[in-house]
Amino acid sequence: MTRTQFGPWVRRTLAYPAENRLSTAALETLAIIAYRQPVTRPEIESIRGVGSEEMLRQLLDRDLIAIGGRSDDLGRPNVYITTRRFRCVHYEAGRCR
């Protein structure tokens, strides 16, 4: 039970969703994309040495990366780029409102 005088503060705190942290693998994948963009999944996997499908899905869900088109390579794989949200969060915090 919360004291009456602290009720508004508790409600305000609970109203904000918890921001989940990225795992080491997700950060690794995001760093590769940010540095080498546009980059395909096979290129990411050859750098990391492991499969990256799940990390790419998580980063797409969080709107940190986007599909920037298709490569002309065999099979025409998707090319990944960073999004405006990624750039705002990490580089342009003061200018992205």
Side-chain angles (χ1 to χ4, degrees):
M1 186 123 195
T2 304
R3 292 185 185 172
T4 310
Q5 69 263 29
F6 298 127
W9 296 99
V10 172
R11 268 190 236 86
R12 227 180 296 167
T13 302
L14 293 175
Y16 293 109
E19 196 66 32
N20 292 332
R21 300 175 81 180
L22 291 174
S23 67
T24 305
L27 279 174
E28 199 174 84
T29 304
L30 184 57
I32 292 167
I33 295 167
Y35 184 73
R36 307 262 320 232
Q37 65 181 318
V39 63
T40 62
R41 190 180 89 203
E43 292 170 333
I44 295 167
E45 291 175 348
S46 72
I47 293 168
R48 290 191 66 223
V50 294
S52 299
E53 297 133 25
E54 181 61 24
M55 294 303 108
L56 290 170
R57 187 192 62 75
Q58 287 179 19
L59 294 170
L60 283 166
D61 288 347
R62 292 176 187 219
D63 195 33
L64 294 173
I65 64 169
I67 297 172
R70 293 206 170 253
S71 172
D72 290 330
D73 295 342
L74 184 63
R76 301 206 19 101
N78 291 329
V79 233
Y80 296 96
I81 58 173
T82 56
T83 62
R84 178 170 170 78
R85 180 168 186 259
F86 168 78
R87 291 186 299 271
C88 285
V89 169
H90 295 284
Y91 296 109
E92 307 168 356
R95 295 181 283 177
C96 295
R97 298 278 180 222

mmCIF file of all heavy atoms in Angstrom, residues 67-94:
data_model
loop_
_atom_site.group_PDB
_atom_site.id
_atom_site.type_symbol
_atom_site.label_atom_id
_atom_site.label_comp_id
_atom_site.label_asym_id
_atom_site.label_seq_id
_atom_site.Cartn_x
_atom_site.Cartn_y
_atom_site.Cartn_z
ATOM 1 N N ILE A 67 15.127 -2.315 -43.442
ATOM 2 C CA ILE A 67 15.543 -2.931 -44.693
ATOM 3 C C ILE A 67 15.655 -1.801 -45.709
ATOM 4 O O ILE A 67 14.688 -1.088 -45.973
ATOM 5 C CB ILE A 67 14.537 -4.000 -45.152
ATOM 6 C CG1 ILE A 67 14.498 -5.124 -44.126
ATOM 7 C CG2 ILE A 67 14.902 -4.516 -46.535
ATOM 8 C CD1 ILE A 67 13.413 -6.155 -44.360
ATOM 9 N N GLY A 68 16.847 -1.619 -46.235
ATOM 10 C CA GLY A 68 17.106 -0.503 -47.133
ATOM 11 C C GLY A 68 17.055 -0.858 -48.598
ATOM 12 O O GLY A 68 17.475 -0.090 -49.437
ATOM 13 N N GLY A 69 16.547 -2.025 -48.912
ATOM 14 C CA GLY A 69 16.454 -2.452 -50.304
ATOM 15 C C GLY A 69 16.977 -3.862 -50.451
ATOM 16 O O GLY A 69 17.025 -4.632 -49.487
ATOM 17 N N ARG A 70 17.361 -4.186 -51.677
ATOM 18 C CA ARG A 70 17.889 -5.511 -51.968
ATOM 19 C C ARG A 70 19.230 -5.393 -52.666
ATOM 20 O O ARG A 70 19.454 -4.482 -53.455
ATOM 21 C CB ARG A 70 16.915 -6.287 -52.840
ATOM 22 C CG ARG A 70 15.631 -6.623 -52.110
ATOM 23 C CD ARG A 70 15.031 -7.858 -52.741
ATOM 24 N NE ARG A 70 13.936 -8.361 -51.938
ATOM 25 C CZ ARG A 70 14.036 -9.453 -51.217
ATOM 26 N NH1 ARG A 70 15.136 -10.140 -51.189
ATOM 27 N NH2 ARG A 70 13.005 -9.889 -50.536
ATOM 28 N N SER A 71 20.087 -6.340 -52.390
ATOM 29 C CA SER A 71 21.407 -6.389 -53.008
ATOM 30 C C SER A 71 21.300 -7.018 -54.392
ATOM 31 O O SER A 71 20.352 -7.749 -54.684
ATOM 32 C CB SER A 71 22.343 -7.217 -52.133
ATOM 33 O OG SER A 71 23.558 -7.428 -52.789
ATOM 34 N N ASP A 72 22.266 -6.767 -55.231
ATOM 35 C CA ASP A 72 22.306 -7.400 -56.550
ATOM 36 C C ASP A 72 23.009 -8.749 -56.508
ATOM 37 O O ASP A 72 23.167 -9.392 -57.538
ATOM 38 C CB ASP A 72 23.012 -6.481 -57.554
ATOM 39 C CG ASP A 72 22.174 -5.252 -57.871
ATOM 40 O OD1 ASP A 72 20.933 -5.351 -57.812
ATOM 41 O OD2 ASP A 72 22.769 -4.202 -58.177
ATOM 42 N N ASP A 73 23.438 -9.180 -55.324
ATOM 43 C CA ASP A 73 24.103 -10.475 -55.175
ATOM 44 C C ASP A 73 23.136 -11.611 -55.467
ATOM 45 O O ASP A 73 21.924 -11.417 -55.546
ATOM 46 C CB ASP A 73 24.659 -10.633 -53.757
ATOM 47 C CG ASP A 73 25.763 -9.643 -53.457
ATOM 48 O OD1 ASP A 73 26.326 -9.082 -54.412
ATOM 49 O OD2 ASP A 73 26.047 -9.422 -52.261
ATOM 50 N N LEU A 74 23.678 -12.800 -55.563
ATOM 51 C CA LEU A 74 22.891 -13.991 -55.828
ATOM 52 C C LEU A 74 21.801 -14.167 -54.774
ATOM 53 O O LEU A 74 22.080 -14.132 -53.568
ATOM 54 C CB LEU A 74 23.809 -15.229 -55.825
ATOM 55 C CG LEU A 74 23.143 -16.551 -56.178
ATOM 56 C CD1 LEU A 74 22.611 -16.511 -57.603
ATOM 57 C CD2 LEU A 74 24.136 -17.674 -56.019
ATOM 58 N N GLY A 75 20.576 -14.317 -55.176
ATOM 59 C CA GLY A 75 19.460 -14.485 -54.265
ATOM 60 C C GLY A 75 18.841 -13.165 -53.829
ATOM 61 O O GLY A 75 17.838 -13.144 -53.144
ATOM 62 N N ARG A 76 19.447 -12.037 -54.208
ATOM 63 C CA ARG A 76 18.967 -10.693 -53.892
ATOM 64 C C ARG A 76 18.599 -10.535 -52.413
ATOM 65 O O ARG A 76 17.459 -10.257 -52.053
ATOM 66 C CB ARG A 76 17.791 -10.318 -54.777
ATOM 67 C CG ARG A 76 18.191 -10.365 -56.234
ATOM 68 C CD ARG A 76 17.452 -9.527 -57.211
ATOM 69 N NE ARG A 76 16.682 -8.421 -56.760
ATOM 70 C CZ ARG A 76 17.087 -7.145 -56.818
ATOM 71 N NH1 ARG A 76 18.273 -6.858 -57.268
ATOM 72 N NH2 ARG A 76 16.297 -6.172 -56.436
ATOM 73 N N PRO A 77 19.593 -10.704 -51.511
ATOM 74 C CA PRO A 77 19.302 -10.583 -50.074
ATOM 75 C C PRO A 77 18.970 -9.134 -49.688
ATOM 76 O O PRO A 77 19.353 -8.184 -50.373
ATOM 77 C CB PRO A 77 20.606 -11.034 -49.415
ATOM 78 C CG PRO A 77 21.657 -10.761 -50.433
ATOM 79 C CD PRO A 77 21.001 -10.963 -51.767
ATOM 80 N N ASN A 78 18.229 -9.002 -48.575
ATOM 81 C CA ASN A 78 17.912 -7.668 -48.049
ATOM 82 C C ASN A 78 19.189 -6.973 -47.587
ATOM 83 O O ASN A 78 20.122 -7.608 -47.123
ATOM 84 C CB ASN A 78 16.969 -7.772 -46.845
ATOM 85 C CG ASN A 78 15.596 -8.243 -47.231
ATOM 86 O OD1 ASN A 78 15.123 -7.972 -48.325
ATOM 87 N ND2 ASN A 78 14.940 -8.943 -46.330
ATOM 88 N N VAL A 79 19.189 -5.640 -47.716
ATOM 89 C CA VAL A 79 20.303 -4.848 -47.184
ATOM 90 C C VAL A 79 19.761 -4.086 -45.986
ATOM 91 O O VAL A 79 18.665 -3.559 -46.014
ATOM 92 C CB VAL A 79 20.851 -3.824 -48.198
ATOM 93 C CG1 VAL A 79 22.307 -3.941 -48.391
ATOM 94 C CG2 VAL A 79 20.145 -3.835 -49.482
ATOM 95 N N TYR A 80 20.536 -4.056 -44.915
ATOM 96 C CA TYR A 80 20.118 -3.413 -43.664
ATOM 97 C C TYR A 80 20.855 -2.099 -43.467
ATOM 98 O O TYR A 80 22.046 -1.996 -43.750
ATOM 99 C CB TYR A 80 20.356 -4.358 -42.481
ATOM 100 C CG TYR A 80 19.517 -5.602 -42.582
ATOM 101 C CD1 TYR A 80 20.030 -6.769 -43.133
ATOM 102 C CD2 TYR A 80 18.197 -5.606 -42.161
ATOM 103 C CE1 TYR A 80 19.252 -7.906 -43.249
ATOM 104 C CE2 TYR A 80 17.404 -6.731 -42.276
ATOM 105 C CZ TYR A 80 17.938 -7.877 -42.824
ATOM 106 O OH TYR A 80 17.156 -9.002 -42.946
ATOM 107 N N ILE A 81 20.110 -1.114 -42.976
ATOM 108 C CA ILE A 81 20.655 0.210 -42.674
ATOM 109 C C ILE A 81 20.132 0.640 -41.311
ATOM 110 O O ILE A 81 19.166 0.068 -40.804
ATOM 111 C CB ILE A 81 20.247 1.250 -43.746
ATOM 112 C CG1 ILE A 81 18.715 1.334 -43.841
ATOM 113 C CG2 ILE A 81 20.874 0.927 -45.095
ATOM 114 C CD1 ILE A 81 18.193 2.442 -44.731
ATOM 115 N N THR A 82 20.753 1.637 -40.713
ATOM 116 C CA THR A 82 20.245 2.166 -39.446
ATOM 117 C C THR A 82 19.106 3.135 -39.727
ATOM 118 O O THR A 82 19.021 3.729 -40.798
ATOM 119 C CB THR A 82 21.350 2.890 -38.651
ATOM 120 O OG1 THR A 82 21.902 3.918 -39.465
ATOM 121 C CG2 THR A 82 22.427 1.923 -38.209
ATOM 122 N N THR A 83 18.222 3.295 -38.756
ATOM 123 C CA THR A 83 17.062 4.173 -38.909
ATOM 124 C C THR A 83 17.318 5.539 -38.290
ATOM 125 O O THR A 83 18.304 5.750 -37.583
ATOM 126 C CB THR A 83 15.833 3.572 -38.212
ATOM 127 O OG1 THR A 83 16.120 3.452 -36.817
ATOM 128 C CG2 THR A 83 15.458 2.228 -38.799
ATOM 129 N N ARG A 84 16.399 6.441 -38.532
ATOM 130 C CA ARG A 84 16.468 7.771 -37.938
ATOM 131 C C ARG A 84 16.411 7.661 -36.406
ATOM 132 O O ARG A 84 17.086 8.388 -35.702
ATOM 133 C CB ARG A 84 15.322 8.629 -38.461
ATOM 134 C CG ARG A 84 15.298 10.010 -37.859
ATOM 135 C CD ARG A 84 14.290 10.896 -38.582
ATOM 136 N NE ARG A 84 14.070 12.133 -37.884
ATOM 137 C CZ ARG A 84 14.893 13.171 -37.905
ATOM 138 N NH1 ARG A 84 16.006 13.095 -38.606
ATOM 139 N NH2 ARG A 84 14.619 14.267 -37.237
ATOM 140 N N ARG A 85 15.606 6.721 -35.907
ATOM 141 C CA ARG A 85 15.508 6.543 -34.458
ATOM 142 C C ARG A 85 16.867 6.174 -33.854
ATOM 143 O O ARG A 85 17.258 6.693 -32.814
ATOM 144 C CB ARG A 85 14.481 5.482 -34.105
ATOM 145 C CG ARG A 85 14.351 5.272 -32.609
ATOM 146 C CD ARG A 85 13.124 4.440 -32.269
ATOM 147 N NE ARG A 85 12.986 4.398 -30.837
ATOM 148 C CZ ARG A 85 13.350 3.362 -30.078
ATOM 149 N NH1 ARG A 85 13.852 2.282 -30.634
ATOM 150 N NH2 ARG A 85 13.192 3.407 -28.773
ATOM 151 N N PHE A 86 17.601 5.292 -34.506
ATOM 152 C CA PHE A 86 18.939 4.927 -34.031
ATOM 153 C C PHE A 86 19.844 6.152 -34.003
ATOM 154 O O PHE A 86 20.543 6.405 -33.031
ATOM 155 C CB PHE A 86 19.550 3.847 -34.935
ATOM 156 C CG PHE A 86 21.015 3.635 -34.697
ATOM 157 C CD1 PHE A 86 21.452 2.909 -33.606
ATOM 158 C CD2 PHE A 86 21.958 4.179 -35.551
ATOM 159 C CE1 PHE A 86 22.805 2.715 -33.378
ATOM 160 C CE2 PHE A 86 23.317 3.994 -35.324
ATOM 161 C CZ PHE A 86 23.731 3.260 -34.236
ATOM 162 N N ARG A 87 19.830 6.916 -35.083
ATOM 163 C CA ARG A 87 20.679 8.104 -35.155
ATOM 164 C C ARG A 87 20.275 9.131 -34.107
ATOM 165 O O ARG A 87 21.125 9.772 -33.499
ATOM 166 C CB ARG A 87 20.639 8.692 -36.558
ATOM 167 C CG ARG A 87 21.342 7.791 -37.572
ATOM 168 C CD ARG A 87 21.438 8.412 -38.937
ATOM 169 N NE ARG A 87 20.160 8.713 -39.548
ATOM 170 C CZ ARG A 87 19.464 7.875 -40.296
ATOM 171 N NH1 ARG A 87 19.934 6.672 -40.523
ATOM 172 N NH2 ARG A 87 18.324 8.224 -40.831
ATOM 173 N N CYS A 88 18.991 9.289 -33.858
ATOM 174 C CA CYS A 88 18.524 10.249 -32.846
ATOM 175 C C CYS A 88 18.943 9.819 -31.444
ATOM 176 O O CYS A 88 19.402 10.626 -30.653
ATOM 177 C CB CYS A 88 17.009 10.383 -32.892
ATOM 178 S SG CYS A 88 16.410 11.348 -34.268
ATOM 179 N N VAL A 89 18.788 8.552 -31.154
ATOM 180 C CA VAL A 89 19.117 8.058 -29.819
ATOM 181 C C VAL A 89 20.605 8.133 -29.556
ATOM 182 O O VAL A 89 21.033 8.499 -28.457
ATOM 183 C CB VAL A 89 18.609 6.603 -29.662
ATOM 184 C CG1 VAL A 89 19.166 5.959 -28.404
ATOM 185 C CG2 VAL A 89 17.095 6.568 -29.648
ATOM 186 N N HIS A 90 21.417 7.837 -30.564
ATOM 187 C CA HIS A 90 22.853 7.709 -30.336
ATOM 188 C C HIS A 90 23.706 8.895 -30.765
ATOM 189 O O HIS A 90 24.807 9.044 -30.275
ATOM 190 C CB HIS A 90 23.370 6.444 -31.010
ATOM 191 C CG HIS A 90 22.803 5.213 -30.406
ATOM 192 N ND1 HIS A 90 23.243 4.719 -29.194
ATOM 193 C CD2 HIS A 90 21.804 4.406 -30.798
ATOM 194 C CE1 HIS A 90 22.542 3.637 -28.888
ATOM 195 N NE2 HIS A 90 21.667 3.431 -29.832
ATOM 196 N N TYR A 91 23.203 9.734 -31.669
ATOM 197 C CA TYR A 91 24.069 10.789 -32.183
ATOM 198 C C TYR A 91 23.464 12.189 -32.144
ATOM 199 O O TYR A 91 24.172 13.152 -31.926
ATOM 200 C CB TYR A 91 24.484 10.488 -33.622
ATOM 201 C CG TYR A 91 25.317 9.255 -33.712
ATOM 202 C CD1 TYR A 91 24.801 8.089 -34.279
ATOM 203 C CD2 TYR A 91 26.604 9.208 -33.217
ATOM 204 C CE1 TYR A 91 25.564 6.934 -34.352
ATOM 205 C CE2 TYR A 91 27.378 8.064 -33.262
ATOM 206 C CZ TYR A 91 26.836 6.942 -33.831
ATOM 207 O OH TYR A 91 27.589 5.804 -33.884
ATOM 208 N N GLU A 92 22.181 12.311 -32.405
ATOM 209 C CA GLU A 92 21.568 13.619 -32.570
ATOM 210 C C GLU A 92 20.514 13.885 -31.508
ATOM 211 O O GLU A 92 19.464 14.443 -31.803
ATOM 212 C CB GLU A 92 20.936 13.719 -33.950
ATOM 213 C CG GLU A 92 21.881 13.380 -35.067
ATOM 214 C CD GLU A 92 21.174 13.192 -36.400
ATOM 215 O OE1 GLU A 92 19.929 13.250 -36.423
ATOM 216 O OE2 GLU A 92 21.854 12.971 -37.391
ATOM 217 N N ALA A 93 20.766 13.499 -30.289
ATOM 218 C CA ALA A 93 19.750 13.559 -29.236
ATOM 219 C C ALA A 93 19.131 14.949 -29.086
ATOM 220 O O ALA A 93 17.933 15.074 -28.852
ATOM 221 C CB ALA A 93 20.337 13.108 -27.906
ATOM 222 N N GLY A 94 19.893 15.997 -29.209
ATOM 223 C CA GLY A 94 19.370 17.343 -29.034
ATOM 224 C C GLY A 94 18.545 17.841 -30.196
ATOM 225 O O GLY A 94 17.706 18.734 -30.054
#
